[in-house]
């Protein structure tokens, strides 16, 4: 994936600052394993505002619930809206949001410091490696134990550290499972999926919204197959609208019962054309439940794709730049397609026959 110049420059500056600070940090001896019996409160530090990166915490959260059922988890994220996806999960206690570019928002930084220091955790886990924001956050958090995998850019003090070995799973969505090693917990034998633990009530409400949407357009769910699609993606992962229109036309040639619902967002405020319905909500759990009650969800590699996975939707994921084995839709029932050399007609046939 190709990043814009300003993003590349920001990353390089952050890396330089972190490496410089690490040279002046006193390195002390650390332990590798945390005693599970002593851990009742955990804080995961992932100050990122991307939906996908937040959802990639769910495998770790769900595994910790299995092995430490009494432990409650707070999660520090970079955007409350994204963090709210996780708050209703059984072992999640609280979501704490911090401002993007911490040092540029001194008042918000002071608010965060006060909030984060109200409580002392048994364990704080740095999930974000050498991230500058993550290390600033870790420095202020009160915790008896602080854990991170080794990174040459680390300058914050940790009580527990391990060197990253070979990852068991290549998918980025399962990378958080590596932190189970700090508890001496064996990683799952088979790759789990993302899962935000939608409730029956959330799914019921989503079904009612879908039924009402179809009713408003004189459509009957029993007579149609509903396909939700999301057209937005970051940078060069985005697929042109003209390509989406061709795909819809080709899929309708294959199956006349298809009804398409265009998922709108702040970056995609209007629907593709009059041939599709539209749906929008700011509540990301509500959005995930809507994906689930549709018959199929189609998207490029973007946050809502992984929200659909975590919601248990049936998915066709379209890739042009990123690697499928690293960022594809998890789940054996989902279809991941590299469309670089495929026409909309080719893709339509593959989706319909799946």
């Amino acid at each position: 994936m190709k990043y814009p110049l300003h993003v590349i420059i920001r990353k390089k500056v952050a890396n330089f600052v972190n490496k410089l600070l690490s040279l002046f940090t006193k390195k002390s001896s650390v332990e590798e394993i945390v005693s599970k019996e002593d851990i009742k409160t955990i804080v995961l530090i992932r100050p990122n505002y991307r939906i996908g990166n937040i959802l990639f915490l769910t495998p770790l959260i769900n595994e910790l619930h299995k092995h430490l059922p009494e432990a409650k988890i707070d999660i520090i994220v970079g955007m409350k809206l994204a963090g709210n996806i996780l708050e209703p999960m059984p072992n999640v206690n609280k979501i704490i949001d911090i401002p993007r570019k911490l040092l540029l928002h001194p008042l918000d930084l002071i608010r965060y410091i006060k909030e984060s220091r109200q409580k002392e955790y048994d364990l704080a886990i740095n999930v974000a490696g050498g991230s500058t924001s993550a290390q600033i956050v870790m420095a202020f958090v009160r915790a008896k134990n602080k854990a991170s995998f080794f990174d040459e850019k680390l300058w914050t003090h940790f009580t527990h550290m391990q060197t990253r070995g070979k990852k068991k799973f290549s998918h980025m969505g399962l990378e958080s499972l590596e932190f189970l090693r700090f508890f001496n917990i064996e990683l799952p034998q088979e790759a789990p999926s993302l899962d935000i633990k939608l409730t029956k009530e959330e799914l019921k409400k989503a079904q009612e919204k879908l039924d009402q949407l179809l009713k408003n357009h004189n459509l009957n769910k029993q007579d149609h197959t509903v396909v939700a699609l999301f057209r937005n993606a970051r940078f060069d992962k985005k697929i042109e609208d003209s390509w989406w229109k061709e795909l819809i036309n080709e899929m309708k040639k294959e199956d006349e019962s298809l009804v398409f619902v265009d998922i709108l967002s702040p970056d995609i405020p209007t629907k593709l054309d009059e041939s599709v319905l539209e749906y929008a909500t700011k509540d990301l759990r509500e959005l995930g439940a809507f994906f689930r009650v549709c018959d199929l969800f189609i998207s490029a590699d973007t946050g809502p794709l992984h929200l659909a996975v975590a919601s248990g939707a049936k998915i066709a994921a379209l890739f042009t730049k990123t690697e499928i084995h690293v960022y594809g839709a998890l789940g054996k029932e989902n279809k991941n397609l590299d469309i670089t050399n495929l026409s909309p007609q080719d893709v339509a046939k593959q989706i319909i026959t799946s």
Side-chain angles (χ1 to χ4, degrees), residues 75-263:
I75 306 170
I76 297 177
V77 300
M79 182 174 70
K80 186 72 172 179
L81 180 63
N84 282 343
I85 307 172
L86 308 179
E87 199 155 27
M89 295 178 70
N91 54 333
V92 173
N93 175 60
K94 184 180 182 182
I95 302 297
I96 301 171
D97 65 305
I98 62 172
R100 291 182 63 186
K101 302 175 183 176
L102 268 177
L103 299 179
L104 299 181
H105 300 271
L107 294 179
D108 286 334
L109 178 57
I110 292 170
R111 172 191 62 80
Y112 157 71
I113 293 171
K114 288 181 177 179
E115 185 175 3
S116 65
R117 295 188 66 80
Q118 289 176 357
K119 177 178 180 179
E120 182 179 46
Y121 298 95
D122 294 324
L123 175 64
I125 301 177
N126 170 30
V127 187
S131 159
T132 305
S133 295
Q135 294 193 78
I136 293 172
V137 170
M138 181 64 83
F140 287 117
V141 163
R142 294 172 59 219
K144 298 172 186 175
N145 303 286
K146 296 186 176 184
S148 177
F149 280 111
F150 173 78
D151 189 299
E152 64 177 8
K153 298 187 292 292
L154 290 179
W155 46 264
T156 305
H157 172 71
F158 292 94
T159 61
H160 293 73
M161 190 175 292
Q162 292 187 21
T163 301
R164 281 189 188 272
K166 183 179 179 181
K167 292 190 294 185
K168 181 166 184 176
F169 303 110
S170 61
H171 198 285
M172 283 296 294
L174 303 178
E175 189 177 53
S176 67
L177 289 172
E178 296 295 319
F179 287 91
L180 293 174
R181 301 186 191 280
F182 283 95
F183 301 90
N184 206 22
I185 295 174
E186 186 175 344
L187 274 66
Q189 291 301 310
E190 294 189 10
S193 188
L194 311 179
D195 188 355
I196 58 173
K197 304 294 183 184
L198 289 173
T199 65
K200 291 181 180 179
E201 184 62 26
E202 287 175 313
L203 293 172
K204 180 183 176 183
K205 289 181 179 179
Q207 187 63 63
E208 291 171 353
K209 288 180 181 293
L210 175 58
D211 291 343
Q212 187 61 51
L213 177 64
L214 295 174
K215 184 179 179 180
N216 291 344
H217 292 81
N218 299 315
L219 298 170
N220 191 321
K221 179 69 170 70
Q222 283 67 39
D223 299 330
H224 294 88
T225 298
V226 181
V227 180
L229 59 90
F230 186 72
R231 293 179 285 126
N232 198 27
R234 293 183 74 198
F235 310 138
D236 55 353
K237 295 186 293 182
K238 187 174 180 179
I239 300 170
E240 294 295 328
D241 284 350
S242 58
W243 194 96
W244 283 109
K245 289 180 180 180
E246 287 187 56
L247 176 67
I248 291 171
N249 290 334
E250 293 297 334
M251 289 183 67
K252 284 184 174 180
K253 289 179 185 177
E254 298 288 332
D255 186 347
E256 294 181 354
S257 75
L258 295 180
V259 173
F260 289 86
V261 181
D262 197 0
I263 305 300

Side-chain angles (χ1 to χ4, degrees), residues 291-292 294-298 308 312-316 333-334 351 354:
F291 294 158
R292 170 82 170 267
C294 291
D295 297 295
L296 180 66
F297 175 71
I298 307 176
K314 182 181 179 182
I315 297 164
E333 301 301 316
N334 294 324
I351 292 176
S354 62

